[in-house]
Structure formats: C-alpha cells, structure tokens
Amino acid sequence: MAPPSPIEVRPHPTKGRGLYATKTFSPGETIQAFAPLILVASVEHTECVCSYCLKKRAGPDDLRACSLCHHAYYCNTTCQAAAWSAVHSKECKPLQTTPPDHPELPTPVRAVIQALVKKKIGKALETLEGSIADFEYKSEDWKNQQMMGCAAVKFAGLTVDLEAVNKAVEYLCKIQVNAFQRWDFELGHAAIFLEPTLAMANHSCLPNANVEFVGRKAVLQAETEIRTGDEIEISYTDYTYPLPVRQQALKPYHFTCKCRRCEQDLSIYQACALSPNIELNRASLVLDMTKLKTHAAATNAKKAALANEHSGNTAEIVADRCELPPDTVKENRKMLEKQWQTCKGLVSEGWWAVTPLYQVLSDIALHYVREQRYISALLVTCLVATDADPYRYVAPFHPQRSAKIFLIAKLLALTASEAHIPGDSAEKWTNGPTDGVAAQALDTLKGVDQTSLCQMLLLMVLQNAPAGYVDEWGLALEAKAILNDIDQLQGRERELSLINAWNKDPRSDQSHAFFRYAVVQQVDTLAKLGPKILALDFGQ
C-alpha cells in the first residue's frame, strides 16, 4: 500500500485551486519530488545539455545528437533510451522535417509539439488553467500565440486548420502559465519544466516553500515551517526584486500579487526582519544574527522607504543585466563603473542587499575572476555572502546562499598558493593598484588555514543540499569533487579530526564554537575588506 501523499490539491477561495500540506514540514525538509510531464531544454542551450537529464556538456564530445532528427542531444545511451520511451519516439519524426542546419524551434513550440503528438501530455494539460482569455485580451500576445501554435501544428505533422491551431494555442497558453523556468547558475534559463500537481502551487512574495531542480526532478522544499493544512506557496519570480520589477515579472501569469510584501511594499530588510527563519542562521556565515532583525532599513520607516526609492530608481539595471554582456573585459569594466555610480545612494548607506546593488556586486566579483584578480573576487563574494544574501534569502539552505558559499570555497582554492608564497607583492595577485587593501587581504589569508576553511565551506554546501538529494544535486556534486581532491592531501590528521567532529554533529555547542572561529570569523574578516577594495576600484 502506497504511503499517503504529503500534499493535496484543494479548491482555493480566491485563486481557483491550491496546494496544501497533509503533514507538518520543518524548514529545509523535502516535501515531494516531481518528475516532469514536460521538460524541454531552452533553445539557446539545446546543444549544451543532455535533452533528458540536462547534464551540462563538459567537452565537445560529451553529447551526441539523435542520429534521426539531430535536434536532441544525449550524454549516454541510457538517457537516449529513457528519452525515447518518455517522448522522443513521438517527437522525433516531426523534428526530422526540420533540417539540421535550420535554427532550433522556440522552446514553447517544441513543448507544444510534444503535447500534440503524445496524448498523455495533451490530456494532462487539459486539466490546467491557461488564462486564454487574458492572452486574447492583449492583441500582440495573442498574435504571437497564434503564430507559435500554427508552427507547432505544422511541425507536428498535423493538418493546419482552425481547430488544430486553437488546440495548440490552448496548450501553449497553459504551458506558459504553468511551467517553471528551470534555472542553472551557469547557463541561466536552461529548460522549461511542467508537472501538473506542482503547477497547483500558488504564488507569494513571502513564500513558505521553494522549488529546486535536481537533474530531471523538481524538488519542493519547505522554506519555513509548514503545518498540516497550510497552503504551500512558492514564488513565481525572484521575490527579492523591487515591487515594480516583481509586478512586471508576474504579468504573464495575469494576476496581481496581494501578499504582505507587495501590499506594504516591504524593503528587503523589513521582509527579513519578519522571517521566522532568522534563528536558523546560527549555523550560517552570519556573525551577528541580531542584525537581521534590527537593520536600520527594517526598524526605521524612513530608511526602509529610502531603500525602496533607491532600488526603484535604479531598477533598469536589472533589465540591462538580461542583455548579452560586453565582449571584452574593458567594456565590461566600463559598464560596471556606470552601474556602480548609479547605485551610489545604496553604496553610501551600505545597503548591499538591495537590488540592483546586489546584482552589481555579483557581476563585479565575476569581472574580477575574468581579470584573474581572485583575491579581489574573494573579498567581494565574502561581502555578498555575509552582508547581502542573509537578508535576501533568510533560510541558510537557500540555493542562492549555497552558491555563494561554493564560490568562496573555489576562490579560496585559487588563492591558497598565492597567499603563502613569501616575498610576492600584493599587486601581482590583484593585477591592479592595491592601496594596501590587497596586502591586508594577503596578510589575513596567511593567517588562515585556507584548506580547512575551503573544506568546511564545501561541507556546508553538502549540509544545505535538498534533503535526500545530496548525491544528485549539481552543486553538491561539484563540491564533492573538490572535497575528494582535498582528501588526498597528507599531514592534516589534527584538522580532519576537528572538521569531522563538527560535520558529524554541527549543532553541539563545541562544534558551534569551532565553526564560528574556523569559518564565520574568517569569512567576516575578509568581507570587511570588500567595501575597501570596491571603493578603491570604483569610488566611494
């Protein structure tokens, strides 16, 4: 007998239907994993990821195209056979009508073709709402829908008549409203994912759950405590963006969010102060948890309004970041300098967590990596991980926070040899003027066991992986690969005994004290140098 489902779909008083918990979940607990009804790689990444498992190509020969249609790519024969059974046996012949040198079909069109040629997919889509009337109301959107619907019918090998096109458009509307954009930290939007039950989860900008993708699966994870009978709400967009940006991002779903964050236009810091997850940061990189509740832009209404005002006035930077980055390092530098100046109001207040300064900081760190200024990148990433991420994503297991922790670990690995070579100047390792800041960083790093710090940060990534999926989650797999290299190092018996004791029982008082000394204080010291290197490079 199958165990009872931890979730159920129920009527919602104002939103049609909703997803509800049938048991209590703790923060970070996996609620349920979902296999896709539809999973289609984004058109720009068709040749970069396996069409079945979405594994990224590491080398030129890692993926092989389907020998029949040349529009699906697989990392091995197992994935190819599984894809053939799942849907490709139905879509392969239609795709063969598209020449190999023809541009790839738009991702939504490819998804609709699957719904048209495989009855199981089409039947499941029939149960979903599609806001077709809302698309019809917007004539330009409706015209685009009809064009893509017509293309899907044609490539599916069906007769292009009004009935078939209308059915394709219906599927298209339902896919666009109910599908998830599967995000990858390196690729961006890697695929669209749709599963009918998961699609029942309604939106809130103060969600109690999040969706993390692990291979083909979507893992629904409790972000806060969820009690039996509670509605499970996720965010359809990045809830840390300013209100106008969120409203724009939600337009394709044809509703206006009425959550507390939107109705009161809460600042990042106000929303953080309300979070029930603050105490979970005892085992995070946050040195002083009281700051998460008492930040000036949370407790002072004028400061909160000013933070939102600065964010709203510079929100166009968010849109600009969606464009292709400049071709050269020099051009990228000019763009970042311009964006930094636009964010000066936020910089002067030290509001690192507020959009778009947060995004600019992340881009600056990546720019430093491109310049091979790894120490500078390390300082800025530590700043983001300690003074920005905890306010934006209060749950310490949030994937965005794990990604920053992983990046710090990688940068520590890159700078480990640099910090301990005697006689080398700071300028050599920063590729630029230092004014003593990089020298301070080098002195700090010389006093740190970077190998142990790197190891503990990587273990944090594993600890914060979606529960039950540490062996499948992409970030965890990358962390394990580096940990395997560290394990080969000799002469670290004492360090390993302390680290293993902490990793075995991270919540004990002794482990907590060791963690704060060996990790939190070290990262915080580096983070404090972040504003200095930024001021030196980009101005106060």
Side-chain angles (χ1 to χ4, degrees), residues 72 149 192 240 242 266 379 394 396 402 508 529:
I192 61 170
T240 64
L266 299 176
L379 301 183
V394 188
S402 293
S508 72
L529 296 175

Side-chain angles (χ1 to χ4, degrees), residues 37-349:
L37 174 72
I38 294 174
L39 182 66
V40 180
S42 297
V43 60
E44 61 269 31
H45 301 311
T46 302
E47 299 180 19
C48 303
V49 298
C50 174
S51 298
Y52 184 75
C53 72
L54 297 185
K55 179 181 178 182
K56 287 174 284 189
R57 180 177 65 184
D61 298 323
D62 282 358
L63 297 178
R64 298 295 177 88
C66 170
S67 60
L68 297 176
C69 70
H70 302 282
H71 288 285
Y73 293 79
Y74 303 104
C75 57
N76 54 48
T77 55
T78 301
C79 280
Q80 186 170 11
W84 186 262
S85 175
V87 71
H88 194 60
S89 61
K90 301 292 185 182
E91 69 168 352
C92 185
K93 188 173 181 179
L95 292 176
Q96 291 175 37
T97 62
T98 306
D101 58 348
H102 188 277
E104 293 289 342
L105 294 174
T107 311
V109 173
R110 181 85 172 261
V112 173
I113 290 174
Q114 292 186 3
L116 291 172
V117 299
K118 185 151 186 175
K119 291 182 179 179
K120 177 184 176 182
I121 296 176
K123 187 175 180 180
L125 289 180
E126 301 283 354
T127 66
L128 300 177
E129 296 178 6
S131 300
I132 296 172
D134 291 306
F135 280 105
E136 285 184 296
Y137 176 72
K138 299 176 181 178
S139 58
E140 191 60 38
D141 285 351
W142 186 243
K143 187 184 298 183
N144 291 335
Q145 301 295 90
Q146 288 180 313
M147 288 177 60
M148 287 194 287
C150 186
V153 172
K154 178 182 177 182
F155 282 105
L158 304 176
T159 302
V160 182
D161 56 26
L162 184 60
E163 182 181 357
V165 171
N166 284 344
K167 177 58 67 176
V169 171
E170 177 189 340
Y171 288 162
L172 183 61
C173 292
K174 291 184 175 184
I175 289 169
Q176 291 184 337
V177 170
N178 292 283
F180 289 82
Q181 293 289 340
R182 189 189 184 284
W183 180 263
D184 180 271
F185 287 112
E186 292 182 18
L187 300 177
H189 290 301
I192 61 170
F193 176 104
L194 191 149
E195 198 285 327
T197 301
L198 185 57
M200 294 296 104
N202 287 314
H203 164 84
S204 172
C205 297
L206 289 171
N208 58 9
N210 65 67
V211 176
E212 177 65 5
F213 293 98
V214 179
R216 281 178 58 81
K217 303 184 191 78
V219 178
L220 183 62
Q221 183 181 37
E223 191 157 319
T224 64
E225 183 182 36
I226 300 174
R227 297 184 179 276
T228 302
D230 285 352
E231 183 183 6
I232 298 171
E233 295 178 308
I234 61 176
S235 182
Y236 295 176
T237 184
D238 189 331
Y239 54 76
T240 64
Y241 279 170
L243 179 59
V245 178
R246 297 200 307 273
Q247 289 175 331
Q248 183 66 31
L250 291 173
K251 277 188 175 181
Y253 300 99
H254 309 291
F255 70 85
T256 300
C257 183
K258 300 292 185 181
C259 73
R260 182 178 180 182
R261 189 176 204 139
C262 291
E263 292 285 88
Q264 298 181 13
D265 195 11
L266 299 176
S267 73
I268 283 288
Y269 300 104
Q270 287 174 316
C272 171
L274 293 172
S275 173
N277 282 339
I278 288 178
E279 294 304 318
L280 298 178
N281 282 276
R282 184 174 185 268
S284 77
L285 296 182
V286 177
L287 185 63
D288 180 7
M289 288 193 302
T290 61
K291 293 195 304 182
L292 300 181
K293 291 183 179 179
T294 61
H295 193 282
T299 58
N300 184 308
K302 289 185 178 179
K303 290 281 188 182
L306 184 60
N308 282 344
E309 181 182 344
H310 280 307
S311 183
N313 291 341
T314 55
E316 71 276 1
I317 293 178
V318 176
D320 291 343
R321 293 177 77 252
C322 296
E323 304 296 328
L324 289 174
D327 292 332
T328 67
V329 173
K330 187 175 181 179
E331 290 173 347
N332 190 57
R333 168 80 185 205
K334 287 182 179 179
M335 180 190 72
L336 290 172
E337 287 174 349
K338 180 180 178 181
Q339 292 179 347
W340 180 262
Q341 292 303 312
T342 304
C343 293
K344 284 189 73 172
L346 295 171
V347 173
S348 64
E349 296 283 356

